[in-house]
């Protein structure tokens, strides 16, 4: 959650400052591959971190494409505006997830795996 929050703050600031370089490119790629899809999917309480990353990445890319298409169709091209909107959606989803006190997906997965092992031991397998 911390990394997603940092990405949601740093990338819009770097884009507003019109910085260049490899660091901005890497952060922008990470931003568009995770924001806002992963934070939105955190609200669904998925148990699998792999599923969360894959579906969240696909959702993030899809929302970025839809936002870009809407800006093109409305003749209001402003990439910084799209990044800010995506970051605000992400920060709002992260705040709701933090406020609800959701357990970590990794902890939930390990607890589930432990219960499966316990069930197998009890069955004699």
């Amino acid at each position: 959650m911390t990394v997603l929050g940092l990405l949601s703050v740093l990338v819009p600031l770097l884009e507003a400052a019109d910085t260049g370089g490899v660091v901005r490119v890497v952060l922008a790629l990470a931003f568009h591959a995770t924001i806002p899809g992963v934070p939105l999917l955190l609200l669904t309480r998925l148990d699998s971190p792999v599923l969360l990353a894959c579906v969240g990445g696909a959702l993030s890319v899809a929302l970025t494409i839809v936002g870009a298409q809407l800006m093109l169709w409305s003749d209001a091209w402003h990439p910084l505006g799209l990044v800010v909107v995506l970051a605000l959606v992400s920060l709002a989803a992260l705040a709701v997830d933090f406020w609800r006190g959701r357990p970590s997906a990794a902890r939930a997965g390990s607890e589930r795996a432990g219960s499966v092992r316990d069930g197998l031991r009890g069955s004699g397998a």
Side-chain angles (χ1 to χ4, degrees), residues 79-99:
L80 177 59
L82 177 62
V83 169
V84 168
V85 168
L86 294 176
L88 290 175
V89 168
S90 171
L91 289 171
L94 288 171
V96 168
D97 187 54
F98 180 76
W99 179 70

Side-chain angles (χ1 to χ4, degrees), residues 51-83:
L51 185 62
L52 183 69
C54 292
V55 175
L59 181 60
S60 296
V61 171
L63 290 172
T64 300
I65 291 170
V66 167
Q69 284 295 319
L70 289 173
M71 286 189 303
L72 285 172
W73 287 336
S74 66
D75 200 26
W77 183 253
H78 200 283
L80 177 59
L82 177 62
V83 169

Side-chain angles (χ1 to χ4, degrees), residues 5-49:
L6 284 173
L7 274 176
S8 296
V9 172
L10 284 177
V11 170
L13 289 176
L14 288 173
E15 189 165 326
D18 200 24
T19 61
V22 176
V23 174
R24 179 178 169 195
V25 170
V26 170
L27 289 175
L29 288 173
F31 178 89
H32 288 291
T34 57
I35 304 297
V38 175
L40 287 173
L41 285 178
L42 284 173
L43 299 176
T44 65
R45 299 180 185 226
L46 288 175
D47 287 338
S48 171

